[in-house]
Amino acid sequence: MFLTVSNIAHVLMERGILEAGAIVDGGFAVTEAGRRCRNYKVTCGSRPGLFIKQVTGNSAEHTATLLRETAFYQLVATRPLLEPLKRISPDYVDFDGTRNALVLGLLPQAENLNELHFRLRRFPAEVGELLGRGLGAYHAQAANALLEPAAAQLFPRQPPWIFTLDPATLAPLPQFPSHIAQPMLEMLGRRPDLVAQLLSLRPEYEFNALIHGDMKWDNFVVYPAGPNGEYDFKVIDWELVDLGDAAWDIACIFASYIIYVMLIPPQAGPAAQDGRQDRTMADAGPSLRRFWQVYTESRGFSGGAAQVFLTRCLRQTGARLVVAVFEALFNRSPLTAQSDALMESARAFLWNPHQAAADILGLSP
């Protein structure tokens, strides 16, 4: 049975999640929250709210990723080795296997990082610090997942698809619809050196932590957490969680700064405080540098260890930028000059990562 705005109250009472009083006392409301799954936000006046995610249709792939996400929340909730990960993941409430519906705690007054940066028209360094501290602690603790037998059974140790390209055919790309496969193959065909570098990444990929796998800014939710305007954050949508390389999560963060600057239309919102409508990577630099500084401090990295890890992060940033072009095509966005710019940035990160870090991210070796 599909959940709807009109039947959710009945289902929540049937599952014992809400009692009738929470609904009749006033303040109960259900709103649709789009995206790929059938998502709903449930508010209950002064009581904690709920976020509900249900698979639409009979997609085996979507069902599998929802089950993986659910398994992650259940492990975090029950396994002592993974309990510290509660700090950055949503509160697990319930999973209804008959309806393939996952219920999580709803964060109050929350917005994702794209929305936050768009609203503020700037890149607060304190947000970079917040992410660096939170993700540094997460990755330090996520290595414990390698010692958890249940995690080894549940998670497939599958590198992101961009690390698995077939040297002869570039599969899996030809398997996608033509509006994705054709332009991707054409762009990569014009850049054989980029393809060679992408193929060289696979042996470098490590299995050293339980990673989120899709740490784009849409999946970081910030919310008020203090009397003086302090923020805290949670990472949502753990559908691609897996045992993998912590460098990929950091590459996704680095790429998110670049993607936001290159692809989010600045003219769609109010002008920045200084009256400018445009944005540049120089504007993002203080936040990005603070993120990296605090992250490495939280991981206990220094000297040579930090540089080795940074190199992997930067090369994987190149791969993540190629994925960004793929995602734009998947969402039926037309190819633009920005698409070529992302591909050229990807090439730079793969060929000369530390020079690209200095030139594009403003990170010095």
Side-chain angles (χ1 to χ4, degrees), residues 4 29 35 37 42 58 96 134 168 171-172 188 192 218 232 241 270 301 307 316 319 325 339 344:
T4 66
R35 300 187 78 170
C37 292
V42 179
N58 297 313
D96 183 347
L188 291 173
D218 280 348
D232 205 345
V241 61
F301 287 159
Q307 288 304 302
Q316 293 186 26
V325 177
S339 304
E344 290 306 309

Side-chain angles (χ1 to χ4, degrees), residues 213-237:
D214 192 22
M215 280 196 169
K216 56 191 176 189
W217 278 0
D218 280 348
N219 290 335
F220 283 86
V221 175
V222 295
Y223 57 96
N228 300 314
E230 300 95 337
Y231 291 111
D232 205 345
F233 78 96
K234 298 280 189 180
V235 185
I236 63 172
D237 282 355

Side-chain angles (χ1 to χ4, degrees), residues 203-267:
E204 300 175 11
Y205 191 85
E206 298 183 2
F207 296 93
N208 52 35
L210 185 67
I211 67 170
H212 180 274
D214 192 22
M215 280 196 169
K216 56 191 176 189
W217 278 0
D218 280 348
N219 290 335
F220 283 86
V221 175
V222 295
Y223 57 96
N228 300 314
E230 300 95 337
Y231 291 111
D232 205 345
F233 78 96
K234 298 280 189 180
V235 185
I236 63 172
D237 282 355
W238 292 79
E239 297 176 354
L240 299 181
V241 61
D242 201 356
L243 299 175
D245 197 334
W248 179 246
D249 278 348
I250 302 307
C252 291
I253 301 294
F254 287 164
S256 290
Y257 281 95
I258 299 168
I259 293 164
Y260 184 86
V261 168
M262 286 192 177
L263 297 186
I264 304 297
Q267 68 274 15

Side-chain angles (χ1 to χ4, degrees), residues 26-360:
F28 179 83
V30 180
T31 55
E32 294 189 32
R35 300 187 78 170
R36 185 176 65 181
C37 292
R38 188 182 295 263
N39 295 339
Y40 298 93
K41 293 180 180 179
V42 179
T43 53
C44 312
S46 60
R47 305 168 193 245
L50 301 168
F51 182 83
I52 304 173
K53 176 189 290 190
Q54 183 185 38
V55 173
T56 58
N58 297 313
S59 169
E61 178 186 357
H62 292 175
T63 299
T65 57
L66 183 67
L67 291 175
R68 189 193 303 188
E69 181 175 14
T70 300
F72 165 76
Y73 294 131
Q74 292 172 337
L75 282 178
V76 169
T78 60
R79 303 287 178 156
L81 278 175
L82 301 181
E83 186 176 2
L85 302 188
K86 287 181 180 179
R87 167 69 182 75
I88 66 162
S89 57
D91 294 333
Y92 173 72
V93 177
D94 182 59
F95 179 70
D96 183 347
T98 62
R99 299 182 177 93
N100 279 332
L102 173 64
V103 184
L104 304 169
L106 180 68
L107 296 171
Q109 304 177 54
E111 58 187 338
N112 67 46
L113 280 185
N114 277 325
E115 294 166 338
L116 175 75
H117 289 104
F118 192 79
R119 176 173 60 82
L120 296 179
R121 302 292 297 173
R122 60 189 181 89
F123 302 87
E126 58 267 27
V127 171
E129 178 175 342
L130 177 69
L131 298 185
R133 182 172 294 109
L135 294 186
Y138 156 54
H139 280 157
Q141 296 156 350
N144 290 333
L146 301 175
L147 306 175
E148 174 56 64
Q153 294 174 4
L154 285 168
F155 302 119
R157 299 171 69 100
Q158 175 64 44
W161 66 264
I162 194 66
F163 292 87
T164 66
L165 293 175
D166 181 86
T169 66
L170 297 187
L173 284 176
Q175 302 166 17
F176 289 99
S178 59
H179 76 276
I180 301 172
Q182 183 175 343
M184 284 296 296
L185 292 171
E186 288 177 355
M187 282 188 290
L188 291 173
R190 295 196 299 269
R191 298 173 173 90
D193 57 332
L194 174 56
V195 172
Q197 288 296 319
L198 288 171
L199 294 174
S200 74
L201 285 176
R202 180 63 185 89
E204 300 175 11
Y205 191 85
E206 298 183 2
F207 296 93
N208 52 35
L210 185 67
I211 67 170
H212 180 274
D214 192 22
M215 280 196 169
K216 56 191 176 189
W217 278 0
D218 280 348
N219 290 335
F220 283 86
V221 175
V222 295
Y223 57 96
N228 300 314
E230 300 95 337
Y231 291 111
D232 205 345
F233 78 96
K234 298 280 189 180
V235 185
I236 63 172
D237 282 355
W238 292 79
E239 297 176 354
L240 299 181
V241 61
D242 201 356
L243 299 175
D245 197 334
W248 179 246
D249 278 348
I250 302 307
C252 291
I253 301 294
F254 287 164
S256 290
Y257 281 95
I258 299 168
I259 293 164
Y260 184 86
V261 168
M262 286 192 177
L263 297 186
I264 304 297
Q267 68 274 15
Q273 291 179 349
D274 60 5
R276 290 168 46 219
Q277 284 285 359
D278 63 333
R279 63 176 75 89
T280 68
M281 285 304 298
D283 298 321
S287 174
L288 195 154
R289 288 190 291 273
R290 188 63 180 149
F291 162 76
W292 178 248
Q293 176 188 356
V294 174
Y295 176 84
T296 53
E297 291 172 354
S298 299
R299 292 292 308 270
F301 287 159
S302 62
Q307 288 304 302
V308 169
F309 183 69
L310 177 59
T311 300
R312 283 215 325 281
C313 293
L314 294 172
R315 280 176 51 77
Q316 293 186 26
T317 298
R320 184 60 185 85
L321 293 176
V322 175
V323 173
V325 177
F326 170 90
E327 290 173 339
L329 291 168
F330 187 88
N331 294 321
R332 295 191 177 274
S333 299
L335 288 179
T336 63
Q338 285 83 0
S339 304
D340 272 324
L342 286 174
M343 284 291 196
E344 290 306 309
S345 295
R347 173 189 269 160
F349 278 106
L350 284 159
W351 270 104
N352 197 337
H354 289 280
Q355 188 63 52
D359 294 344
I360 300 173

